[in-house]
Structure formats: C-alpha cells, structure tokens
Amino acid sequence: VATFDKILVANRGEIACRVMKTCKKMGIQTVAVHSDVDSSAVHVKMADEAVCVGPAPTSKSYLNMDAIMEAIRSTGAQAVHPGYGFLSENKKFAKRLTAEDAVTIAQSIGYPVMIKASAGGGGKGMRIAWNDEETRDGFRFSSQEAASSFGDDRLLIEKYIDNPRHIEIQVLADKHGNALWLNERECSIQRRNQKVVEEAPSTFLDPVTRKAMGEQAVQLAKAVKYSSAGTVEFLVDSSKNFYFLEMNTRLQVEHPITECITGVDLVEQMIRVAKGYQLQHKQEEIPINGWAIESRVYAEDPYKSFGLPSIGRLSQYQEPLNLRNVRVDSGIQEGSDISIYYDPMISKLVTYGATRAEALALMEDALDNYVIRGVTHNIPLLREIITHPRFISGDISTSFLPEVYPDGFKGHQLDRGRCRELLASAAALYVTSELRAHRVLGPQRVACSTVESSSWELCVELGKELHNVSVTKLGNTFTVLVDEEKVEVSGDWNLASPLLPLTINNTQRMFQCLSRAASGEMVLQFLGTSFKVRVLTKLGAQLNSYMPEKVPEDTTSILRSPMPGTVIAVSVKAGDTVAEGQEICVIEAMKMQNSLTAVKPAKVKSVHCKPGETVGEGDLLVELE
C-alpha cells in the first residue's frame, strides 16, 4: 500500500529507533532530529538523514518547534511521527503540522492557490496564497474564520485562476427528475472574495456559451439527484472557457436579479419542490426579460480595504422605494443596531429595466435617494462602481477593484465642473440656513424690522483650498459665482428633509446634508461621496487664517484598531522588537479575521489589549518606541 516517501521522527532513544525500523520495513525513508550531544546516537545512525535542532536542553532541541518545522521543510518530509513525550501531545505542534500539510498540497497544485472553507460562503474563510508563507497564514486565518462562521474548520485547497470572471448559473430541480437552468448571474465585482455588485444577464456570455453552461449545471444537479433551487458557480476566462468552481445547495444572496429577469419566484418554487410538487416550468419557458442589477449595501467603511465593518444604530433610515422598478430586500429598520457579531449587510438594492443602461440609471438614482444615518456605509463605492467606464462597457473581472483603485478607494474625484456644483450648492445651503435663522415666526411682542439681504460674499473651504464665492438670490434660485464662474442653483430648500433635490444649471442633482454646524462646517453627500466643506464670511475666513493647525497624530508609532471587533490574538509584548510587516495582533469583526502588522521596525513600548477583549474603531492597541 502506497503511503509516504519520507517521514521525520521527532523524538530520540528507543521510540525513535522503533519507528525507524517499521519505516525501513515499509520502504519509507526517515529523517532523524537530534541535539548537538546526540549527534552519534543510535537513532541518528539508523536514519537516512539527520538534522541538528539545537543544544542539549530539550527546550532548545526536541521541544524546539521552529527548528523541527524547519527540518521538515529542508528535508521535504511528508509526515511526522512524534513518538511519545516531547511534542507528541502538543496541540500547537499538531496544528502547525496541519499547516505544513497545506503547504505540501499547495506546492503539488502549483501557486497561486485558493484556500477556502469547505462549508463556507460569502467570502468567509477564504484566502489566496502565492507562496508557502502565505499558505501557512491563509490556513490559520481560514480555519479560524470557518470554525467561527460555520462551526466547521475543514478547508479546501484548489488552483487559483487569476483575473477571471465569476459567472454562476441558477438551477431549479424537483424530486421527479426534472431540472432546468434560469440563466446566469455576473458576479465578478468582488472584494475579499465576496460579491459586491451582481447583474443578470452577463454582458459577456453569448447564447451558445450560456446554453453550454446551463446544460452542464443541470447535468450536475441531476447527477447528484438534487432537488431545490441551487447555484453552480464557474470561473470564465477571456476566451469564454468555463471551469466548475462549486455548487451552492441553497438560495443565493443575489437570487432577486434572477427573479426580475425570469419572473420566477425562487423561494416559492423551493417550497413547492420540498412538498413534492413537480416544476411548474419547462426550459423553453424561461426567458431573459430586461436587465437587473443588485448592489449589496453594507455597514462598512469602503475607504478601508474596500470595506471594513462599521457598527452603530440606524438613527435615520429611508429606502428609495419611491422610485419605479426598485426592490429593496432588507431585515432592518430605523433604530436597528448593526453589531460586530453578524454579517454587516444592510440590504440588497435591486433595480430592473428594459435595458442595462436603464437599470444602471435607476441604480444611480436609487443610491442617491437611499438615506442611511448612524453607521458608515458603502454607497460611495457602489455608486463609483456602477458609473465607472470599465463597468459600463462590461470590461470587468474579479480583479476589477484592485485594478481600478490600486491605491485603495478614495471616493468620487471631483472635476472642475462638479467641484463648482458642490461649492455653489454648499454656499446656497448656507445662505438658506442663515435666512431661516433670522426669520421670526408667530406674533411679535416687540415690533422690529428686518431687511433681508439679497447678496452675500463668502469663502468656501474644500480640502485645503479656499474658494471665493458671491451669492445672489431671487425666489428659490441662487446665482453663485465660484471663482468667477457662474452657477445657478434652485430647489425647494426643505432643510428638514434628509434629501435635497436641486437643479444645477438645468441638471437634476440629489444632495444629502449629513451634518451642519453653526461654525459653517457641513458634510454633504454628492454623487454618492461625502464631502466636508466649510462656508465662512469673508471676515470669518480672514480671522480663521490666524487659527493654529492641529498637528496630526504620528501613526507610525502607534497601532489603532481600524474597526470595531474582538481581539483574537496578540503576538507581541512590551520590550519585543518587531520587523516591518510583522503581525502584532489579530482582530475579528463579523466573522472575518484581520491581521494587523507593524509599519516599521521598532521596539514595543506597551500593549493595551489582550485576547478576548472587545475594541472600538480607533482604540489604541499597541505603542511602539
């Protein structure tokens, strides 16, 4: 019976000799480990190879896990027999050997590889590894995330296909041998292997490829006698070759877009099939009617790794259901809490149109009209994705986000025209607020006369730039000169509404005023992105120039938590020396583990956290000298 080619015996004395005799009988080569004083021991002479793992004290040799692991790597041993005593019952050592097994498998497949939870989904428990060290790290994080998310830490390792499309086929099968496919869903826009924007159908598939993928998906469902709704996922290369990825034997998050283009209620069909009814439809009755797009709205900060979790209470929440052909699947309401314990999804926002262009335009409006307060959300990223020229043209892959935003997501980048629109709207909003503050409602005990101004000279600060702005008002229309460029802004100016629809130079725009302070500071959501502006009078701007600037914090000498979560591990203590890129601690949030590393070589001054503690975003974790 074929077993191993080479085994390392992590022991000494008679048990090491006993194991080596059996290995020799089985035709297996052996590797002995030994301390420097055991270099002439019998077990060393019996072995085919020998590696010194340290000096005489057992803590520095036979219990030296790092040295033994290096011996395994250097000799290419495929397995370890620990004998008894020493490391034979050490869980940590056993766990590290499982990781080495993962390295062996990855090497046999060839890098890059994908490590993923066998019971997983939603991007949890998944890591891409390009080398041995990343495989070890990926094994550790994926197994821990898998256990936390699914109660099952078993993993799969498979070849990673770089830069493909991720396209899946929806199938439906009953208990009478009937099965059909309900077209495809394009799911290539992802971050951390979790889908962000999906659409149906795909811009990439032609009828022949669609039919071939659908028929193979149905064959798979029939082969395993599957009965219910399920999804067969494929990776598709640039030549439209498709490769089976996995089958999800459940309802997918993105199922609404399939329902939109086929008219089939998948949940209803699942219930009917479970009761034993035959399918109500035949394959030729499944249409592609129009186009549907889904945006996954998350309580996440898109400026941090395309989305790190955010927590809080939804202080204000208003779905854009006033728009036509908009569907919102959500399980929250105003006042709901978003916690660190569960998935951060707020809703699935779906738009449907006769054409892709119509569905995209509706999605743009829906995102602009979506009111979410109390938590940070990913609407800025979603809006930038669906309006990006590459996405509009259909030139996408699973690498879309890192390719389009190689330095990370920065929000909408304003051109000169859009910048003037923002500055003019901020100035008009400031004047509207000032006029309302001076207005007296109800009967007056003391007669007073007020003369309403009709023009204002202001300065608007955006980023580090200060812009001169002149404003005149006629009715509900403001004429604003921004750096000598004319902009006309009109609207109802209802400051109590979370939505502020404006007409700017005859173009409809939707603003949201997220905050407004007496100091003139305000945060406006415009084109999906939140912009901080400050509107000052000319005198106020002059006096403000004398104010000292706040010195920014030196972030190279401290480590703060980038998100709320739970400390899973702390790898350093005060006095330790760390190298650049070395892991300092691990934070888990919403079942995803994040390794935090040192940004420079330094000595650890103090540690302010310990495993099991809950930390908030921005909490101090470790100080470096």
Side-chain angles (χ1 to χ4, degrees):
V1 177
T3 54
F4 302 101
D5 295 325
K6 186 184 291 186
I7 289 179
L8 182 143
V9 182
N11 217 298
R12 66 180 301 279
E14 86 43 52
I15 185 58
C17 296
R18 168 71 182 82
V19 171
M20 288 180 183
K21 286 179 182 177
T22 298
C23 288
K24 185 176 182 180
K25 183 175 67 174
M26 297 177 69
I28 301 172
Q29 290 187 326
T30 55
V31 178
V33 294
H34 63 88
S35 66
D36 55 3
V37 297
D38 268 350
S39 59
S40 299
V42 175
H43 78 282
V44 175
K45 294 178 180 179
M46 289 181 66
D48 297 289
E49 298 177 58
V51 178
C52 180
V53 290
T58 57
S59 62
K60 298 181 179 179
S61 52
Y62 295 103
L63 293 175
N64 186 342
M65 274 190 266
D66 289 339
I68 292 174
M69 295 304 295
E70 180 55 36
I72 295 168
R73 283 191 285 272
S74 64
T75 61
Q78 298 167 305
V80 174
H81 196 299
Y84 51 70
F86 292 144
L87 296 172
S88 62
E89 297 178 81
N90 189 300
K91 286 184 178 180
K92 186 177 179 182
F93 182 57
K95 205 167 188 70
R96 289 185 68 170
L97 290 174
T98 313
E100 290 306 312
D101 194 29
V103 169
T104 301
I105 294 170
Q107 290 173 341
S108 68
I109 294 172
Y111 289 111
V113 297
M114 173 68 81
I115 304 168
K116 64 182 184 181
S118 63
K124 295 181 175 65
M126 296 180 70
R127 291 291 192 282
I128 299 168
W130 295 82
N131 54 49
D132 292 354
E133 197 57 41
E134 289 184 6
T135 297
R136 295 184 186 97
D137 289 342
F139 176 87
R140 175 164 65 103
F141 288 122
S142 292
S143 59
Q144 291 172 356
E145 286 179 3
S148 177
S149 298
F150 314 113
D152 184 345
D153 64 357
R154 292 178 296 169
L155 302 175
L156 299 173
I157 301 179
E158 60 189 26
K159 182 66 177 177
Y160 174 68
I161 300 175
D162 193 19
N163 211 33
R165 285 176 179 261
H166 184 140
I167 300 177
E168 61 191 26
I169 299 291
Q170 177 70 57
V171 296
L172 189 61
D174 63 23
K175 298 178 180 179
H176 303 277
N178 303 306
L180 50 83
W181 48 278
L182 293 87
N183 304 309
E184 79 279 5
R185 293 186 290 258
E186 172 68 74
C187 305
S188 297
I189 305 298
Q190 303 180 3
R191 57 100 181 88
R192 296 196 299 276
N193 305 302
Q194 188 174 39
K195 302 159 191 172
V196 179
V197 176
E198 303 101 339
E199 60 181 310
S202 169
T203 61
F204 189 64
L205 294 191
D206 55 66
V208 174
T209 308
R210 177 179 295 116
K211 186 172 185 288
M213 293 175 71
E215 288 177 346
Q216 290 194 26
V218 165
Q219 288 176 14
L220 173 60
K222 287 183 174 180
V224 297
K225 296 181 171 57
Y226 185 70
S227 61
S228 190
T231 298
V232 182
E233 300 194 348
F234 297 94
L235 296 179
V236 185
D237 66 20
S238 58
S239 300
K240 295 182 181 167
N241 300 306
F242 54 92
Y243 308 90
F244 172 73
L245 182 62
E246 64 184 12
M247 181 176 183
N248 290 321
T249 53
R250 54 174 168 80
L251 191 67
Q252 293 278 92
V253 170
E254 58 274 16
H255 74 273
I257 56 177
T258 296
E259 294 181 330
C260 286
I261 68 166
T262 63
V264 177
D265 186 322
L266 291 172
V267 175
E268 178 185 346
Q269 296 305 313
M270 293 175 77
I271 295 170
R272 287 178 56 84
V273 167
K275 184 61 177 175
Y277 290 106
Q278 292 192 32
L279 296 182
Q280 291 181 305
H281 305 86
K282 298 185 182 301
Q283 188 62 60
E284 58 270 18
E285 298 171 352
I286 302 301
I288 297 181
N289 287 331
W291 215 283
I293 298 171
E294 175 180 286
S295 293
R296 299 192 185 192
V297 181
Y298 284 106
E300 290 182 339
D301 187 343
Y303 300 96
K304 297 178 179 178
S305 301
F306 299 113
L308 291 184
S310 169
I311 63 170
R313 176 167 294 173
L314 291 169
S315 57
Q316 194 170 13
Y317 183 74
Q318 183 176 305
E319 297 173 349
L321 295 174
N322 59 307
L323 303 177
R324 65 180 182 86
N325 290 347
V326 171
R327 169 177 169 176
V328 183
D329 287 12
S330 64
I332 50 89
Q333 61 185 0
E334 194 169 292
S336 293
D337 287 318
I338 306 294
S339 75
I340 64 172
Y341 302 107
Y342 306 109
D343 190 271
M345 180 181 284
I346 293 174
S347 73
K348 297 177 297 187
L349 177 62
V350 179
T351 58
Y352 169 71
T355 64
R356 185 171 186 261
E358 182 183 345
L360 282 173
L362 285 169
M363 180 59 74
E364 193 174 336
D365 287 343
L367 290 168
D368 285 344
N369 282 268
Y370 208 145
V371 177
I372 303 173
R373 306 279 197 276
V375 297
T376 304
H377 53 76
N378 68 331
I379 282 179
L381 176 62
L382 294 173
R383 197 183 189 283
E384 286 300 295
I385 290 171
I386 64 155
T387 58
H388 195 279
R390 270 190 59 179
F391 183 85
I392 292 172
S393 68
D395 178 19
I396 61 174
S397 72
T398 55
S399 301
F400 177 87
L401 288 179
E403 286 177 359
V404 172
Y405 308 106
D407 299 321
F409 180 66
K410 308 295 183 183
H412 186 81
Q413 302 302 300
L414 295 170
D415 58 25
R416 287 186 61 189
R418 300 293 182 268
C419 183
R420 284 195 298 270
E421 290 184 19
L422 174 62
L423 295 172
S425 300
L429 183 60
Y430 171 84
V431 170
T432 300
S433 178
E434 288 293 298
L435 291 175
R436 189 181 72 164
H438 289 84
R439 192 171 300 131
V440 179
L441 300 179
Q444 302 178 29
R445 294 186 178 182
V446 178
C448 63
S449 61
T450 59
V451 178
E452 186 173 293
S453 299
S454 59
S455 63
W456 296 262
E457 295 296 322
L458 304 171
C459 291
V460 183
E461 185 180 71
L462 175 63
K464 294 183 178 181
E465 294 185 354
L466 198 63
H467 302 264
N468 293 314
V469 175
S470 299
V471 182
T472 57
K473 180 178 183 293
L474 180 62
N476 285 334
T477 300
F478 291 88
T479 300
V480 187
L481 286 178
V482 180
D483 299 330
E484 304 304 321
E485 295 280 349
K486 181 180 175 182
V487 182
E488 286 199 347
V489 185
S490 61
D492 292 336
W493 303 105
N494 181 0
L495 301 185
S497 171
L499 297 173
L500 190 62
L502 300 177
T503 301
I504 305 177
N505 290 344
N506 298 316
T507 300
Q508 300 295 316
R509 298 291 190 196
M510 180 61 73
F511 282 77
Q512 294 189 35
C513 184
L514 306 183
S515 67
R516 191 174 70 251
S519 62
E521 293 180 351
M522 60 180 76
V523 179
L524 298 178
Q525 184 174 308
F526 175 49
L527 303 174
T529 296
S530 298
F531 295 95
K532 293 181 180 179
V533 298
R534 189 177 185 189
V535 184
L536 300 168
T537 63
K538 286 291 181 74
L539 176 60
Q542 182 181 353
L543 295 175
N544 187 63
S545 64
Y546 296 103
M547 296 294 289
E549 291 187 9
K550 183 179 179 181
V551 179
E553 186 177 51
D554 179 11
T555 57
T556 63
S557 298
I558 58 172
L559 181 66
R560 294 189 181 276
S561 179
M563 76 206 109
T566 302
V567 180
I568 298 299
V570 179
S571 306
V572 298
K573 62 182 184 299
D576 286 353
T577 299
V578 295
E580 181 180 353
Q582 181 177 332
E583 182 181 287
I584 292 180
C585 62
V586 177
I587 304 293
E588 180 181 86
M590 297 164 181
K591 308 300 182 183
M592 298 290 285
Q593 295 194 359
N594 298 271
S595 175
L596 307 184
T597 59
V599 298
K600 66 176 183 181
K603 186 176 182 180
V604 178
K605 180 180 180 181
S606 56
V607 177
H608 299 273
C609 63
K610 57 185 178 182
E613 283 187 343
T614 299
V615 295
E617 180 180 353
D619 283 2
L620 181 62
L621 303 175
V622 174
E623 289 183 271
L624 304 175
E625 293 183 356

